[in-house]
């Protein structure tokens, strides 16, 4: 498959019981653990994706206190691990979510960012009191530095997606939407590191619902990996969906996605920006990464009852307000 493929179909191989590491009990525990820190986001009416089809629903994760679904996985991991010092690698929203939690819980946090991280998100992380460290290269270099730094400081590493507690926390998105719209036939999920897609796959277990991951066309790491039969690493890429630039599937999300996802769609930057503009016409101020699932639903043009996850709303305007609200220390480079 090429990066310009529009629609990617995964061959589904169901897991044996011995391979199942996470399940509904983990999602229930996560939902109970994170309840004081997150909101149960609504399903909002969205655009029709076909002339004669039902109106698409939008799972409004941009309404989370930290501006994205990332708060769910971050909270589940931090609370379960009872950490007082945390290191992470982030494109921005995971770092913002952890920084908000760290500020509330009195945790020391260091966020490692790749060279292409959005400056406004970096400033927001620092405004919330976290230390930031920027490295050269892409997401792979970022993750390597975060692991090394956590070891050096004897801190807890909380990855943005590749951790069972993070995946379970993100899975509460799927639990909520399937409970609120039990007739849903397809869920469209933005896919970067894969934590949200894996979590929704777990939530969909036992439900007659199709799970469709949507990746930026410039970085279809899951489509390429599923086609190859094993995780593959792509070179650093650029996309307007800055939160979805991961280069390699995570060890935790990959087998979950491999065994349950029904389809993978790749969308280009023009489609992502068009979906972002369409959301704004519906009064939803999503960032481009948060509009990727809608772009996939529009590309598919399906007629069934469907939900697209609006995963984030950390727009420049929202981040600017946060940046002005708090002083911040200087960023370090490495």
């Amino acid at each position: 498959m090429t990066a310009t493929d529009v629609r990617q179909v995964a061959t589904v191989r169901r897991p044996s019981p011995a391979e199942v590491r996470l399940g509904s009990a983990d999602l229930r525990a996560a939902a109970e653990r994170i309840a004081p820190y997150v909101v149960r986001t609504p399903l909002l009416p969205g655009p029709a994706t076909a002339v004669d089809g039902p109106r698409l629903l939008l799972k409004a994760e941009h309404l989370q206190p930290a501006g994205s679904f990332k708060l769910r996985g971050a909270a589940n991991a931090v609370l379960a691990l009872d950490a007082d010092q945390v290191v992470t690698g982030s494109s921005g929203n995971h770092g913002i979510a952890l920084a908000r939690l760290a500020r509330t819980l009195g945790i020391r946090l260091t966020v490692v960012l790749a060279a292409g991280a959005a400056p406004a998100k970096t400033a927001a992380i620092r405004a919330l009191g976290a230390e930031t460290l920027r490295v050269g290269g892409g997401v792979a270099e970022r993750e390597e530095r975060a692991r090394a730094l956590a070891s050096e400081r004897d801190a807890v590493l909380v990855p943005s997606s590749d951790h069972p507690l993070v995946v379970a926390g993100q899975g509460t998105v799927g639990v909520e939407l399937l409970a609120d719209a039990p007739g849903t036939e397809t869920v469209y999920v933005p896919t970067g590191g894969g934590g949200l897609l894996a979590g929704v796959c777990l939530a969909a277990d036992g439900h007659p619902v199709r799970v469709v991951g949507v990746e930026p066309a410039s970085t279809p790491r899951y489509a390429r990996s599923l086609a190859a039969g094993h995780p593959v690493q792509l070179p650093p890429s650029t996309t307007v969906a800055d939160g979805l630039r991961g280069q390699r599937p995570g060890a935790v999300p990959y087998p979950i996605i491999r065994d349950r996802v029904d389809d993978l769609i790749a969308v280009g930057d023009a489609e992502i920006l068009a979906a972002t503009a369409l959301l704004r016409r519906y009064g939803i101020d999503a960032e481009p990464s948060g509009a990727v699932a809608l772009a996939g639903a529009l590309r598919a043009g399906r007629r069934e009852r469907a939900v697209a996850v609006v995963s984030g709303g950390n727009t420049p305007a929202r981040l600017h307000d946060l940046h002005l609200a708090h002083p911040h220390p200087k960023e370090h480079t490495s």
Side-chain angles (χ1 to χ4, degrees):
M1 296 185 184
T2 67
T4 56
D5 287 340
V6 172
R7 193 169 182 81
Q8 330 271 3
V9 181
T11 299
V12 177
R13 185 182 67 80
R14 298 301 176 187
S16 70
E19 291 178 294
V20 177
R21 298 178 182 178
L22 291 170
S24 57
D26 299 285
L27 272 60
R28 287 194 299 271
E32 182 176 353
R33 187 177 291 122
I34 68 179
Y37 300 92
V38 305
V39 298
R40 186 186 183 102
T41 55
L43 289 172
L44 304 177
T49 55
V51 174
D52 58 348
R55 188 166 295 279
L56 183 73
L57 295 177
L58 305 169
K59 179 61 170 168
E61 284 297 293
H62 66 293
L63 298 179
Q64 286 295 344
S68 80
F69 77 96
K70 291 287 189 178
L71 185 61
R72 296 173 182 266
N76 194 43
V78 166
L79 295 169
L81 296 171
D82 194 25
D84 58 8
Q85 183 175 184
V86 171
V87 172
T88 192
S90 173
S91 297
N93 283 350
H94 178 65
I96 292 170
L98 277 173
R100 183 183 177 94
L101 288 165
R103 189 180 185 91
T104 300
L105 300 173
I107 294 170
R108 180 184 174 188
L109 172 66
T110 302
V111 181
V112 182
L113 301 118
K121 290 184 177 179
T122 304
I125 292 168
R126 296 201 307 273
L128 288 165
E131 175 189 0
T132 62
L133 188 152
R134 190 181 295 268
V135 299
V139 174
E141 289 80 5
R142 181 195 80 191
E143 294 303 297
E144 182 180 356
R145 184 70 183 101
R147 285 191 295 270
L149 187 63
S151 179
E152 292 167 14
R153 295 185 176 181
D154 195 26
V156 173
L157 179 68
V158 179
S160 62
S161 58
D162 197 14
H163 193 289
L165 288 166
V166 173
V167 170
Q170 317 304 31
T172 61
V173 172
V175 172
E176 289 179 8
L177 74 84
L178 290 172
D180 292 345
T184 299
E185 295 170 276
T186 303
V187 181
Y188 294 91
V189 186
T191 305
L196 179 58
L197 179 58
V200 172
C201 283
L202 290 170
D205 186 40
H207 293 266
V209 59
R210 296 177 68 251
V211 179
V212 178
V214 187
E215 298 181 290
S218 62
T219 178
R221 80 243 77 187
Y222 275 93
R224 292 280 185 86
S225 296
L226 292 175
H230 58 82
V232 298
Q233 183 166 312
L234 303 184
S237 66
T238 58
T239 171
V240 293
D242 65 283
L244 306 180
R245 292 176 178 168
Q247 294 172 241
R248 180 183 178 88
V252 175
Y254 176 75
I256 299 170
I257 293 169
R258 176 200 65 200
D259 296 335
R260 178 59 177 87
V261 77
D262 294 286
D263 202 357
L264 287 163
I265 297 175
V267 292
D269 279 0
E271 293 171 289
I272 295 169
L273 290 173
T276 305
L278 180 58
L279 284 173
R280 287 175 183 164
R281 289 202 291 275
Y282 277 77
I284 297 172
D285 196 16
E287 60 188 289
S289 297
V292 165
L294 173 58
L298 293 171
R299 162 62 66 176
R302 301 197 63 85
R303 293 177 170 82
E304 75 271 29
R305 294 184 296 275
V307 176
V309 180
V310 180
S311 57
N314 282 322
T315 61
R318 176 173 179 156
L319 294 172
H320 180 68
D321 291 343
L322 178 60
H323 174 67
L324 291 178
H326 306 283
H328 58 82
K330 185 178 180 181
E331 181 183 24
H332 300 286
T333 59
S334 174

